[in-house]
Amino acid sequence: MSITSRKRRYSFGPAILDHETSFRVWAPTAREVFLNIDGTKVKMERDGEEFWEVSLSGNRTGSLYGFILDGEGPFPDPAGRFMPSGINGLSQFIDTDNFRSLDSDWKGIDLKDMVIYECHVGTLSPSGNYSGISHIADHLIDLGINTVEIMPVAQFFGTRNWGYDGVYIYSPASCYGSPENLWNTVSYLHSRGIAVILDVVYNHSGFIGNYLDRFGPFHSNWHRTPWGNCFNLDGPYSDSVRRFILENVRFWIEDYGFDGLRLDAVHGIIDTSPRHILADIGSIFSDLTEKLGRRIVAVAETDQNDLKITEKHDKCGYGLNAQWNDDFHHSLHTLFTGESRSYYMDYGAPEDLLRTLKHGFDYNGRWSQHLKKTRGTNFGEADRSRLVVCSQNHDQIGNRAFGERLITLAGKEAAKQAAALTLLSPFTPMLFQGEEYGETNPFLFFVDTNDRDIAMSILDGRRKEFESFGWQQNIPDPNDPETFLSSKIGWEKQKSSDGQEFLDLYRGLIGLRKRYVSGRTSDYAVSERTKPIMVSYRTGLKLAASFLEENIPFPDHVREILYDLPSTMDGSCLISSGEGVFMKKGVLVYL
Amino acid sequence: MSITSRKRRYSFGPAILDHETSFRVWAPTAREVFLNIDGTKVKMERDGEEFWEVSLSGNRTGSLYGFILDGEGPFPDPAGRFMPSGINGLSQFIDTDNFRSLDSDWKGIDLKDMVIYECHVGTLSPSGNYSGISHIADHLIDLGINTVEIMPVAQFFGTRNWGYDGVYIYSPASCYGSPENLWNTVSYLHSRGIAVILDVVYNHSGFIGNYLDRFGPFHSNWHRTPWGNCFNLDGPYSDSVRRFILENVRFWIEDYGFDGLRLDAVHGIIDTSPRHILADIGSIFSDLTEKLGRRIVAVAETDQNDLKITEKHDKCGYGLNAQWNDDFHHSLHTLFTGESRSYYMDYGAPEDLLRTLKHGFDYNGRWSQHLKKTRGTNFGEADRSRLVVCSQNHDQIGNRAFGERLITLAGKEAAKQAAALTLLSPFTPMLFQGEEYGETNPFLFFVDTNDRDIAMSILDGRRKEFESFGWQQNIPDPNDPETFLSSKIGWEKQKSSDGQEFLDLYRGLIGLRKRYVSGRTSDYAVSERTKPIMVSYRTGLKLAASFLEENIPFPDHVREILYDLPSTMDGSCLISSGEGVFMKKGVLVYL
């Protein structure tokens, strides 16, 4: 790596400039700041109103460093590119500017064509690291899955974490490998035709190992979420905190080459500024799409059912590409499991699924018994691909006391029907690692701390969270390494006959999606009634689903059955008798 | 008053229906609710999910009542129409539905024509009550002032209060008189051609005497302001809290006949719902304008300089009619006083006033040294009448340690120049009670409590607030009755020669405004340079202002001088010499 003529691309963090390495840190109210690098203290100079800077000769890649603020520290760099010893260690300078120098013909995947595969680095593969993701490329390609979504990797405490306790949003967690490993994985997946979305958390940062506020008011004094204080997006010094986040968006897309970001819980991003930061993120995605000449997507996780999130700027929206749609999951889940506690109380009738399929949002301004308020807006005629749906994801599986997947709760036949409804819905489908071969291992909530008090308070927190579901006793201890290990998926199950059966089904359904649904998600009609629920695409593909125990008259003509998925172990969804054709409980895919 | 066939017009509060009086209260989580009325307990029945109701025969106007919730109370009605014994007493039923039965030809005043007079009921008149406001009608008419703005009257603790400690937003403070008194005052002012705006506080409710949360989650668990927790606009049960506020908007406009509301500190109204409650308020104003057939205005107090607040709904705005513009006050105040502490640090150059006059906002996306962040948006070509400006108001005078008015701080000549700049600005001008005759009494912050601890904590709070201004010692005690009394304005000063001089000036300036500015506030140009600052209306009216000690070349031709307001006690702003015409420090109004 040679030192070439380069300019600083980010306000935050170190960068190689001409023949030197510049360290720059935001510490607006500090009186004196030292860079502590490889054991040496170097005085930093003010750079403008809020930043401090010092340049050292040569390429300092690999140097370990931190900052000493008014005599305290060293603290790791809030925008450090790596923390090789984890959250309690120093930052290491990695020249991520250099990553993007690898040019490729990669143009990304269009949102309308995406089939997303959500995974967690530590539990996805036997090696449990960034490189492990690469090894599933053949598997994904075989099934037709074209997009991987990686749960958050921002440096968190310990070595086992879902990722939502991340603090250092420019540092990929070192327990999974090096920045190069992550970058190589993204590049490799691109070379195999697979897009990669990264889950990022901009609503709060983790409690543990968090020294951000030593540098400046990174967090809001006024706005809180259940997970911690929000980033300071509208208080004093918020210009820089906003920039810290907005540059992070660009960082992952430009330097690492990610094809999109999944923005965690955007309803927790509270911002009273004239322009909401989500609108700024929407603008960055537009700008980067043009600049980079490849397709990228901003996907919001939200429980708000708010069209504004994915509406264009000129229609008063935030201009993000897609948003998660809980209504789809919850209506499916309650129909298959009969569960009705906590947020599931708002669902359970076939009408919920019907309304979701038809209108995009089930709760589109209706009163929610669970939230005790009106929920959602109309989704109108917005393209259905802007809603990301699933029959299971890390939250819906893992935020249960015992982390059971749908197949465990409702059985094999239900899991297959759910797959058909998800993969052939007009929405953008997302799978959770392992469901495609009928994985039965749970996905549990896990952490890794040596601090007994923290471990206990996390366990207590989980117990409290589950009270409204009636799950209280004997929940697995998140801090027990076994909890993590039992959440790893077991690839060997693919080889079982059940595994093969599921893989064939998923491969087939994804094939049908590509042939009949992708890119034409707005050309469909949904039945008025739920006996059965029917979706018909203008391309000719049709779905019928019944959740009733009794056989109901089947009101359509079937030219060719593509998938026949009854709720009983065998037989067909359709029964012909002298009185006509009747449909049994199940899902039928036909032309 | 006879019982006629009537329907409930508000979800909250008592109402006369057919031959009976209905009491209705929101208590969504209560298990048992009793109405305690005139000493009798009456069991209430659930009315829907969240309300309780009971109807008693006959017209119960005048009854004293409260609610007993699960054995506790009685607590006054959160939507009670009156509290004759003050905040610690019960509610009294007043049939405000009946107020509006008085029809009139009153059509209101157009925002573009408004000259607003801000007043505080307790200190405006010798009687210090609602009726006292009526007595200044002749005075206002003589000057050409057509709109009165009344500081908040929602029931607060004690008898001396600015009004921002109000808790019961449907109960006009009883220390000022009865609801009928207030309604009669509004009606009387209408009969004299004067519109009346009420200041209302929807960002928080007062700490003292506040039992609202006993009834239900009126306040947010998540969103805070410096003055207390926000109303719960987006959490569980927020539909009803929103309705409580939205019906209150309608209540003051329909029942009392107010011509508008001044919405206190809307930057403190935090609402993450898909549609901000300010947009809902904007819609109510549009609907009511149509329904009532008279002009009404929603005026937001805000420090955000955010065009969205007054932008129409179809342009992604909240659709309010006008917003306060601090930039105007602060640039004027600093030029006249030289003050530069706290928020005044952002102002002080003639350029600030020039930019405000030209663009509407001085801080339109510029970095604020005081706020330590970027402030504001562009105001664009939006009509200038949508910005309400003043050279003094209750906050700018009263939120000083010693409550000094501009005349006290900067002298008579400055006060006159400020009046000319305010009344002849393209913006909607607002005066503060007494400035029109050169009042020199202060307007101090005052409260009234018997609780020593509360009194001390309020005093401490004030001291803390003033730290950044360098005013700490010996500030008047807000709880001392003398503090209130010394803030009353002294009408007898009108008769002094100074008083007459000021009245003549204000009368003249308002006359000029009506002739040359009102209704044509967008047809004006502002000079590029500040030597002098020049505003010229297409109607021919011109202003020139210089804040420099030296004489500067005067670049315009003067046909007729209308007002010549130099900073020295006598002479003219203009000096002719062999070398041309020069302008002295001062303000010139000319054709």
Side-chain angles (χ1 to χ4, degrees):
Chain A
M1 211 181 305
S2 71
I3 299 174
T4 54
S5 175
R6 292 202 286 180
K7 286 188 176 155
R8 173 169 278 288
R9 297 172 50 244
Y10 301 104
S11 313
F12 294 80
I16 296 179
L17 309 182
D18 294 343
H19 309 293
E20 51 192 20
T21 305
S22 153
F23 291 82
R24 195 162 191 265
V25 67
W26 180 67
T29 57
R31 293 176 308 275
E32 191 177 56
V33 181
F34 284 90
L35 169 68
N36 188 306
I37 184 162
D38 297 332
T40 309
K41 270 175 70 173
V42 188
K43 198 167 170 8
M44 300 184 79
E45 299 297 327
R46 277 200 179 277
D47 180 13
E49 279 266 348
E50 304 185 12
F51 286 84
W52 299 75
E53 202 261 352
V54 70
S55 284
L56 305 183
S57 62
N59 179 336
R60 299 298 178 123
T61 295
S63 285
L64 286 172
Y65 72 99
F67 298 105
I68 300 171
L69 307 162
D70 296 333
E72 289 190 65
F75 302 110
D77 185 353
R81 305 306 198 236
F82 193 46
M83 299 173 79
S85 332
I87 204 157
N88 295 313
L90 290 175
S91 304
Q92 183 174 50
F93 174 46
I94 302 293
D95 181 21
T96 57
D97 274 8
N98 202 46
F99 285 2
R100 71 202 164 98
S101 63
L102 183 76
D103 258 318
S104 91
D105 296 333
W106 176 244
K107 294 294 167 204
I109 305 277
D110 199 284
L111 173 68
K112 294 185 183 188
D113 299 323
M114 280 186 175
V115 176
I116 304 173
Y117 188 84
E118 189 189 30
C119 63
H120 172 265
V121 184
T123 56
L124 174 71
S125 66
S127 58
N129 57 14
Y130 297 125
S131 307
I133 308 171
S134 296
H135 300 142
I136 66 164
D138 287 337
H139 171 70
L140 300 179
I141 292 165
D142 169 53
L143 294 172
I145 296 168
N146 56 18
T147 305
V148 165
E149 179 170 314
I150 302 175
M151 285 169 67
V153 299
Q155 183 65 53
F156 44 75
F157 67 95
T159 60
R160 309 181 300 268
N161 199 286
W162 280 15
Y164 302 97
D165 295 315
V167 176
Y168 296 90
I169 64 175
Y170 289 80
S171 289
S174 50
C175 62
Y176 298 145
S178 70
E180 287 84 352
N181 293 153
L182 176 58
W183 174 55
N184 286 332
T185 298
V186 174
S187 304
Y188 174 75
L189 290 171
H190 286 175
S191 75
R192 302 299 306 278
I194 296 168
V196 194
I197 292 172
L198 181 66
D199 192 344
V200 291
V201 184
Y202 295 141
N203 49 60
H204 77 290
S205 60
F207 281 113
I208 299 171
N210 194 330
Y211 299 104
L212 297 188
D213 287 337
R214 300 287 190 111
F215 289 84
F218 269 102
H219 297 95
S220 173
N221 277 329
W222 297 109
H223 308 311
R224 293 171 284 180
T225 72
W227 321 287
N229 276 4
C230 293
F231 276 106
N232 167 25
L233 303 175
D234 50 15
Y237 299 107
S238 54
D239 285 15
S240 296
V241 180
R242 295 175 77 94
R243 192 178 307 130
F244 181 73
I245 289 172
L246 295 174
E247 289 190 353
N248 188 251
V249 167
R250 185 158 62 85
F251 172 75
W252 292 118
I253 303 288
E254 279 199 356
D255 289 20
Y256 280 83
F258 279 101
D259 299 281
L261 298 179
R262 178 264 192 193
L263 307 166
D264 181 61
V266 300
H267 44 277
I269 300 179
I270 300 172
D271 180 6
T272 63
S273 308
R275 192 167 198 245
H276 198 286
I277 196 166
L278 290 175
D280 287 348
I281 292 176
S283 296
I284 287 186
F285 269 83
S286 313
D287 295 349
L288 282 178
T289 302
E290 195 156 325
K291 174 180 172 188
L292 303 175
R294 58 184 170 92
R295 300 179 194 94
I296 49 174
V297 291
V299 183
E301 184 214 0
T302 168
D303 66 7
Q304 291 209 306
N305 286 8
D306 185 353
L307 173 62
K308 174 169 76 239
I309 290 167
T310 45
E311 196 62 301
K312 305 247 188 223
H313 289 128
D314 59 11
K315 288 185 172 170
C316 314
Y318 294 155
L320 304 181
N321 303 83
Q323 59 179 299
W324 281 26
N325 179 5
D326 281 351
D327 285 344
F328 185 87
H329 174 272
H330 297 349
S331 34
L332 219 56
H333 184 90
T334 48
L335 286 169
F336 284 119
T337 64
E339 290 182 359
S340 60
R341 301 249 206 160
S342 187
Y343 50 77
Y344 290 138
M345 75 173 64
D346 282 344
Y347 304 85
E351 285 74 12
D352 289 297
L353 181 58
L354 186 83
R355 277 191 294 257
T356 304
L357 287 165
K358 193 165 199 155
H359 302 299
F361 293 145
D362 180 19
Y363 283 83
N364 58 358
R366 289 200 298 132
W367 199 76
S368 153
Q369 180 67 29
H370 169 62
L371 296 177
K372 303 287 183 203
K373 63 170 184 168
T374 296
R375 178 163 176 237
T377 69
N378 274 316
F379 195 66
E381 298 304 310
D383 197 283
R384 276 17 187 181
S385 67
R386 290 188 181 274
L387 296 177
V388 173
V389 301
C390 65
S391 68
Q392 36 207 322
N393 65 29
H394 76 274
D395 262 331
Q396 301 305 335
I397 300 172
N399 280 327
R400 306 177 60 88
F402 302 101
E404 308 95 325
R405 292 164 178 266
L406 186 61
I407 196 168
T408 306
L409 296 171
K412 244 175 72 174
E413 307 311 321
K416 287 184 192 170
Q417 292 166 35
L421 288 168
T422 306
L423 286 167
L424 298 180
S425 81
F427 314 116
T428 298
M430 187 177 77
L431 312 176
F432 184 68
Q433 59 182 29
E435 69 162 275
E436 73 280 14
Y437 60 79
E439 178 61 79
T440 52
N441 283 357
F443 185 71
L444 293 162
F445 183 74
F446 42 79
V447 294
D448 171 24
T449 172
N450 293 323
D451 187 317
R452 270 185 87 84
D453 291 344
I454 290 174
M456 276 312 296
S457 89
I458 289 171
L459 181 56
D460 284 347
R462 295 299 284 180
R463 284 197 180 120
K464 221 164 176 179
E465 190 175 336
F466 294 142
E467 263 174 34
S468 62
F469 288 93
W471 305 320
Q472 267 184 280
Q473 336 81 313
N474 300 323
I475 71 167
D477 178 0
N479 200 40
D480 182 344
E482 188 49 43
T483 301
F484 168 75
L485 290 172
S486 64
S487 302
K488 279 190 168 254
I489 65 174
W491 289 99
E492 69 290 350
K493 281 176 208 145
Q494 283 188 61
K495 293 172 195 144
S496 69
S497 67
D498 268 12
Q500 287 299 319
E501 199 182 316
F502 267 87
L503 288 173
D504 287 346
L505 176 70
Y506 274 73
R507 192 184 301 109
L509 291 170
I510 293 170
L512 286 181
R513 178 170 190 87
K514 300 215 163 169
R515 180 161 175 197
Y516 292 106
V517 183
S518 297
R520 286 159 292 181
T521 46
S522 285
D523 283 349
Y524 75 106
V526 179
S527 55
E528 290 299 315
R529 308 256 168 93
T530 57
K531 287 184 170 188
I533 294 172
M534 298 175 77
V535 178
S536 42
Y537 291 93
R538 222 167 74 160
T539 54
L541 186 75
K542 294 180 180 183
L543 267 85
S546 170
F547 295 90
L548 303 164
E549 292 302 332
E550 80 266 26
N551 299 336
I552 52 172
F554 185 74
D556 201 9
H557 171 73
V558 176
R559 191 160 59 79
E560 184 189 349
I561 290 181
L562 301 172
Y563 283 96
D564 192 343
L565 304 167
S567 290
T568 46
M569 292 283 278
D570 47 23
S572 163
C573 277
L574 294 186
I575 307 163
S576 285
S577 78
E579 290 155 45
V581 181
F582 291 83
M583 182 171 183
K584 285 166 48 176
K585 192 174 174 186
V587 171
L588 195 74
V589 180
Y590 61 103
L591 294 171
Chain B
M1 211 181 306
S2 70
I3 299 174
T4 55
S5 176
R6 293 202 286 179
K7 285 189 175 154
R8 174 170 276 288
R9 295 173 51 242
Y10 300 104
S11 313
F12 293 80
I16 296 179
L17 308 183
D18 294 344
H19 309 292
E20 51 192 21
T21 305
S22 154
F23 291 82
R24 195 161 189 264
V25 67
W26 180 67
T29 56
R31 291 176 309 274
E32 192 178 55
V33 181
F34 285 90
L35 168 68
N36 188 307
I37 184 161
D38 296 332
T40 309
K41 270 176 70 173
V42 188
K43 198 167 170 7
M44 299 186 78
E45 299 297 327
R46 276 200 180 277
D47 181 13
E49 279 265 349
E50 304 185 12
F51 286 84
W52 300 75
E53 202 261 354
V54 70
S55 284
L56 305 183
S57 62
N59 180 336
R60 300 296 179 125
T61 295
S63 286
L64 286 172
Y65 71 99
F67 298 105
I68 299 172
L69 307 162
D70 297 334
E72 288 190 65
F75 302 111
D77 185 352
R81 306 306 198 234
F82 193 45
M83 299 173 79
S85 333
I87 205 158
N88 294 313
L90 290 176
S91 304
Q92 183 174 49
F93 174 46
I94 302 292
D95 181 21
T96 58
D97 274 7
N98 203 45
F99 285 3
R100 71 202 164 97
S101 63
L102 184 76
D103 259 318
S104 90
D105 296 334
W106 176 245
K107 294 294 170 205
I109 306 277
D110 199 283
L111 173 68
K112 293 185 183 187
D113 299 323
M114 279 184 175
V115 176
I116 304 174
Y117 188 84
E118 189 190 30
C119 63
H120 173 263
V121 184
T123 55
L124 174 71
S125 65
S127 58
N129 57 15
Y130 297 125
S131 307
I133 307 170
S134 295
H135 300 142
I136 66 164
D138 287 337
H139 171 71
L140 299 178
I141 292 165
D142 169 53
L143 294 172
I145 296 168
N146 56 19
T147 306
V148 165
E149 180 170 313
I150 302 175
M151 286 169 66
V153 298
Q155 183 65 54
F156 44 75
F157 67 95
T159 59
R160 309 181 299 270
N161 198 287
W162 280 13
Y164 302 97
D165 295 314
V167 176
Y168 296 89
I169 64 175
Y170 289 79
S171 290
S174 49
C175 62
Y176 297 145
S178 69
E180 286 85 353
N181 293 153
L182 176 57
W183 173 55
N184 286 332
T185 298
V186 175
S187 303
Y188 173 75
L189 290 170
H190 286 176
S191 76
R192 302 297 309 276
I194 297 168
V196 194
I197 292 172
L198 181 66
D199 192 345
V200 290
V201 184
Y202 296 141
N203 49 60
H204 77 290
S205 60
F207 282 113
I208 299 171
N210 193 330
Y211 299 105
L212 296 188
D213 286 337
R214 300 288 189 112
F215 289 85
F218 269 103
H219 296 96
S220 173
N221 278 329
W222 298 110
H223 308 311
R224 293 171 286 180
T225 72
W227 320 287
N229 276 3
C230 294
F231 276 106
N232 167 26
L233 304 175
D234 50 15
Y237 299 106
S238 55
D239 285 16
S240 296
V241 180
R242 295 175 77 94
R243 192 178 306 129
F244 181 74
I245 289 172
L246 295 173
E247 289 190 353
N248 189 251
V249 167
R250 184 159 62 84
F251 172 76
W252 292 118
I253 303 289
E254 279 199 356
D255 289 20
Y256 279 83
F258 279 102
D259 300 282
L261 299 179
R262 178 264 192 193
L263 307 167
D264 182 61
V266 300
H267 44 276
I269 301 180
I270 300 172
D271 181 7
T272 63
S273 309
R275 192 167 197 244
H276 198 287
I277 196 166
L278 290 175
D280 286 348
I281 292 176
S283 295
I284 288 185
F285 270 83
S286 313
D287 295 349
L288 282 179
T289 302
E290 194 156 325
K291 175 180 171 187
L292 303 175
R294 58 184 171 91
R295 299 178 194 94
I296 49 174
V297 292
V299 183
E301 184 213 1
T302 167
D303 65 7
Q304 291 209 306
N305 285 9
D306 185 352
L307 173 62
K308 174 169 76 238
I309 291 166
T310 44
E311 196 62 301
K312 306 247 189 222
H313 288 130
D314 59 10
K315 288 185 172 172
C316 314
Y318 294 155
L320 304 181
N321 303 84
Q323 59 180 298
W324 280 27
N325 179 4
D326 281 352
D327 285 345
F328 185 86
H329 174 273
H330 297 347
S331 35
L332 219 56
H333 183 90
T334 49
L335 286 169
F336 284 119
T337 64
E339 291 183 358
S340 60
R341 302 249 207 161
S342 188
Y343 49 77
Y344 290 138
M345 74 172 65
D346 282 343
Y347 304 86
E351 284 75 11
D352 289 297
L353 181 58
L354 187 81
R355 277 190 295 257
T356 305
L357 287 165
K358 193 164 199 155
H359 303 300
F361 293 145
D362 181 18
Y363 283 83
N364 57 358
R366 289 201 298 132
W367 200 77
S368 153
Q369 181 67 30
H370 169 64
L371 296 178
K372 304 287 183 203
K373 62 170 185 169
T374 295
R375 178 162 176 239
T377 70
N378 275 315
F379 195 66
E381 299 305 310
D383 197 282
R384 274 22 183 177
S385 67
R386 290 188 180 275
L387 296 176
V388 173
V389 301
C390 64
S391 69
Q392 35 207 323
N393 64 30
H394 75 275
D395 262 332
Q396 301 306 334
I397 300 171
N399 280 327
R400 305 178 61 88
F402 303 102
E404 308 96 324
R405 291 164 177 267
L406 186 61
I407 197 167
T408 305
L409 296 170
K412 246 175 69 174
E413 307 311 320
K416 288 183 191 169
Q417 293 167 34
L421 289 167
T422 306
L423 287 168
L424 298 180
S425 80
F427 313 116
T428 298
M430 187 178 78
L431 312 177
F432 185 68
Q433 58 182 30
E435 70 163 273
E436 74 280 15
Y437 60 79
E439 177 61 79
T440 53
N441 283 356
F443 185 71
L444 293 161
F445 182 74
F446 42 79
V447 294
D448 171 24
T449 172
N450 292 324
D451 187 316
R452 271 185 87 82
D453 292 343
I454 290 173
M456 276 311 297
S457 89
I458 290 170
L459 181 57
D460 283 346
R462 295 299 285 181
R463 284 197 180 120
K464 220 165 176 179
E465 190 176 336
F466 295 141
E467 263 173 36
S468 62
F469 289 92
W471 305 320
Q472 267 184 280
Q473 336 81 313
N474 300 324
I475 70 168
D477 179 0
N479 200 41
D480 182 343
E482 189 49 45
T483 301
F484 168 76
L485 290 172
S486 65
S487 300
K488 280 190 169 255
I489 65 175
W491 289 101
E492 70 289 350
K493 282 177 208 143
Q494 282 189 60
K495 292 171 197 145
S496 69
S497 68
D498 267 12
Q500 288 299 320
E501 200 181 316
F502 266 87
L503 288 172
D504 287 345
L505 176 69
Y506 274 73
R507 191 184 303 107
L509 291 170
I510 292 169
L512 287 181
R513 179 171 189 86
K514 300 214 164 168
R515 180 161 174 198
Y516 292 107
V517 183
S518 297
R520 286 159 293 181
T521 47
S522 286
D523 282 349
Y524 76 105
V526 179
S527 56
E528 290 299 315
R529 306 258 169 92
T530 57
K531 286 184 171 189
I533 294 171
M534 298 176 75
V535 178
S536 41
Y537 292 92
R538 222 167 73 160
T539 53
L541 186 76
K542 294 181 181 184
L543 268 85
S546 171
F547 296 91
L548 303 164
E549 293 302 333
E550 80 266 25
N551 300 336
I552 52 171
F554 185 74
D556 201 9
H557 172 73
V558 176
R559 191 159 60 78
E560 183 188 350
I561 291 181
L562 301 171
Y563 283 96
D564 192 342
L565 304 166
S567 291
T568 46
M569 293 284 277
D570 47 22
S572 163
C573 277
L574 294 185
I575 308 164
S576 285
S577 79
E579 291 155 44
V581 182
F582 291 83
M583 182 169 185
K584 285 165 50 175
K585 191 175 175 186
V587 171
L588 195 74
V589 181
Y590 62 103
L591 295 171

